[in-house]
Structures are given as C-alpha cells and as structure tokens.
Amino acid sequence: MAPCKTGWALALLVLLHALPALHASPAPRDTLVVGGDAGYAPFQMLDDDGQASGFDVELLRLLARDLGMDVRFELGGWDEALARLERHEVDVVPMFTSDRRGSRFLFTRPYLLRYHGVFGREGRPEVARLDALHPYTVAVQDHGRAWEALEQLEPGPGLVLVRTEPQALRAVAQGKADYALVPTGVGLHTINRERLRGLVPLGPPLLEQTYALAVRSDRPELAQALDEALVRVRDSGAQDRLYRHWLGQIGAAREPGNRLAWAWWLLPVALLGAGFAWMRHRRRPPDPSSASRLLVDLRLAIANGSLGYAVQPKQDLRTGLWTGGEMLVRWNHPERGPLAPGDFLPLAEFHGEMGALDLYMIRRAMEQLQAWPAMDPQPTLSVNIGANDLADRALVDRIIELTGDRGHALILEVTETDIMHAPDLVADALPRLRRHGIRISLDDFGTGHSSLTHLRRLAPEEIKIDRSFVTTALESSSDRAILRATIHLAHEVGAVVTAEGIEDEETLRWLREAGCDIAQGFGVCRPIPPEEFASMLRAQGSAPPDA
Ligand code: C2E
Ligand code: CA
Ligand code: CA
C-alpha cells in the first residue's frame, strides 16, 4: 500500500509541478526580470537585508510562479527603473498607468486603484479639492503624478519639489511646506514607519488612478501571459491575501494612542475611491462591529476585483431574441459564503459606498461587453445605480469616461423612489449621459411616487414595471389594469416597457398580448454567469433571423 501511495503522491507532485508550465506562453524557466523603486514602501522596496519585498514584489513572485518562470528583482532609483524598462533591460515594472506611459510600454489590466491624499500638520485646514491648495506650499515628488496635477493649476500652489514621496512628508514635518500630496498608502505608511508625529491626512482621496504592470514594448506575448496570470492569481484569492497583508498592515502597525489611529480606516477608502464618502463620514470613528468588518471586506472585494456578478437576460417579446441583460452584483464572501445584494447593499448605501460599487459594476459591464460578438442591434447591459451617483457631477464624468465609445450599449437603472430624492440633479445629469449614448431606465416603476411631470422631464428610454404587479397579474384584475395603463403610458412618453419578475409562461403570454416589449424574470431566464450569457448571444448571433 505505502509504496503505491508514495508513487501516486510523486506522480501528483510531478503533475502539479508541470501544471503551471502548461498554460505559460514564455519558455519554461525563463527568468522574469522585474525593475522598480527600491524605496517605494509598501509596494516595492529593499528590506534591511537588501531583499526585494512589498505588495508588488510578492504579487510578481506569484505571477512568475503561475507562469512557471523564475523571477529576479532589480530595484533601484525610479527614473532609472523607467529608463531601463524602455531600454528593455528589465521585463516589467509595476506603475500607475497613463496615456504617456501607454505609448512607451505595454500594460496589463490594472490590479489596484490608487489615490493621492493631502497630508499636513494636525489642525491645519482640511482640503477637499486640489484647487483649494493654491494659497499654500505643497511638497510633491518632482515629475510625479501629483506634480503633474498641481503644475497645471491656475492659480496653483507654491511647489516644494523633492525626489521621493516620503521626502515630501518629511518636508511638511520639518515645516518646509504646508502640505504634501502623495499616494495615500505611501503617506500613511511613511508617517507610521518614520513616526512623523502630528502629520495627518487632511483631505479625501484625490487623483484616482489605476496601477498595473508595465511590460517592455517588444514582449507582447509576455504582457498577455502576465495579464492572464493576474486573473488567475486574483481569482485564487492570493491577491486578496497579499493586499490584506501589505496594505492592511498600515492599520495593523499602528500604535495604540497614535494620533493616526483614526485614520487607518481611510486606507481602504483611499484604495477604492469614494471621495464623497469621506466628506460625509470623516468624523465617524472606526466601528469595530461586524458590519464595519463587512464594509471593509466589501471595499477590499471591490479593490481586488473579487466582487462578482450575474447577468439576467432580457428577452424581446415579439422576436424572442435576447436584447441584453441586467447586471446583478453577487458576493461570495471569503468567510460568510454567498451573500445576497440585500445583505450588504443597505450597509454600503448607509456608508456612502454605493458610488464605488456602481462604478465597479459599470467597469465590469464594459469588460463583459467586449467579450460579446458584434451584433445588430447591439445587445445592452443594464447596471443598477443610485440616484446619488447621478446627482454627483464628478461621478457622472467618471461613468462617461469609463464607457468611452460604448455608451450606446449601457443602460443605467435608477429606481423611481431613489430619483425622487434629487429629481433636479438627476434631470441635469441626463443630457450629458445621453450625449454619450447612455440610456436611463426607471426601475421598480409603480412603487414610487413620481408624477407625470417628472416622467416627462426625465423621459427615460425604458420603464421597468415592478415585479410586485407582474407576479400577481393573473390573479388580480386591478394589477392587470395597472399593467395595461403603464404600458400605454410608457409608449406615450416614448419609452420601451420591460416587465420584470415574470415567473411563468401564462404571465409571459398575457404581457405579450398587452403590448409589453421586453420580458425579464425567472420564468424567462434566471440570473446566470456572464460567460453563459455571452455564449447564448453567440448562439443567437449565428441563428437564422426570426428563429
Ligand atoms: P432589481 O434591480 O429590481 O433586480 C431584480 C431582482 O429581482 C434581482 O434580485 C433578481 O434576481 C430578482 N428577480 C429576477 N427575476 C425574478 C423573478 O421572476 N422572481 C423573483 N422573485 N425575483 C426575480 P437581486 O439580484 O437579489 O437584487 C435585488 C436588488 O438589489 C436589485 O433589485 C437592485 O435594486 C439591487 N442590486 C442588485 N445588484 C445591484 C448592483 O450591482 N448595483 C446596485 N446598485 N444595486 C443592485
Ligand atoms: Ca434593476
Ligand atoms: Ca427592479
């Protein structure tokens, strides 16, 4: 028995060892040479023994292992790292993405969202926007991202230029500048490590930026392989663990009584970006309850891309074709297991996190759209968003930016009740969205109190009749009357009508006869994984017309 078992174990070991090489495009045991900054804690740095460490370093070790490659780190000065990547002396350097860099290097997908923060001495005025810095002096890394942003301000602040980001904080500590503008994670880490007492974050997360791997321009196959490995490492949960270890450590490393204690919770916010959440809740101390834990986990899941979603298909009631689908968030919590939207959305909403979640879902929708076949008419994806988002100009800008030239494939679902909290601000945002082809759907129609005036003013492209009217349609004549009237009204204002919550064939038939345009519900199709829906669209694309 024993030898046999050992034999199996050996075979398994050999197989496991060979596995990563199976999907590796570069030759096995190639060496991945990683460049970077030797002093960019906690992302890339040399520790006291001269060993490379940090979040980026550990992530690259995992990626190399996934690809069956060896890895060697050659960290040094930042300018040098960029120059060496350009000269093809190193293969990859983790960095912020930018258009300029995009023309010099190949980029993988982003793996972090990062922010800058304004740091200053405690008691100084808080600064909510960059342009409010102009009466002051601000220390920034020469030619860094913060420098780029401040340099073009008119009027701009007085700039104190330093070589590294930690030096910017030291300049403030030594009274050489009023504020420092540095990446939030770097700022908090430096303050803790160097015990720069009295320095605190004094503003919301600013300058949202994606962070990715830049690959030397002559190795597209390596960029592709790293990109695919990033997905596997993220999906395995390993990236999440690294994130907790390296970026959570800023909080963990804090001392009791340290003035910074209250600020550590800003970090996850800073890594995801709900600037307005900070505005609203900046005075709220960290709450050790499990709800607060869940909120932190949610921020992490958004930051590391592990928050999932299902797509519920929508069907054209005349042609039977899929017109698109609705994105529904799904969270498989690492400890609690699958959570329904109702288990965490109210919490997110209460803490002002909906903007971050909604942007995340829009980003995922854009990814998904790319995986679809080209079809005419173009199927759409609907994303649920809060009316607060539409009332926030900066967020609307972000939505427009994220959708690029694919706005025509995006429908934003906003509930009627939600809109009623800020109808004017929402109405103001609509023309801007529409200029980019983005459509609006009035969700849960019939449950709110929107007046006909509002309906005319918002002129939604779609009205979604709430499922409370639909599920009971066959039993209740008054529900049927409401359905008929709503369909009529919607058509009068030029909207497409979708009935949601259709659970059976009879209701479907009745709605078709009543003139409803689109059907959605368990009886049509349950929410399914996005890949499954993409193959349904592919099958439909190749089917003869009117099938
Ligand atoms: P909703 O926008 O009205 O989404 C439809 C909900 O009805 C989904 O529940 C869906 O699974 C469920 N549903 C669909 N067909 C049927 C049916 O035939 N019968 C019944 N009983 N239910 C049906 P889910 O996924 O639990 O979402 C609940 C709500 O959570 C959504 O209601 C929406 O308000 C919110 N939500 C879900 N995903 C997101 C998201 O990504 N972002 C935001 N902001 N909100 C979301
Ligand atoms: Ca919806
Ligand atoms: Ca709904």
Side-chain angles (χ1 to χ4, degrees), residues 443-444 466 500:
D443 200 359
D444 297 351
D466 190 66
E500 62 180 0

Side-chain angles (χ1 to χ4, degrees), residues 57-67 229 233 238-239 242:
V57 167
E58 294 303 334
L59 182 66
L60 274 149
R61 287 202 171 105
L62 290 178
L63 295 171
R65 191 164 72 198
D66 177 274
L67 292 171
V233 168
Q239 184 178 335
L242 281 186

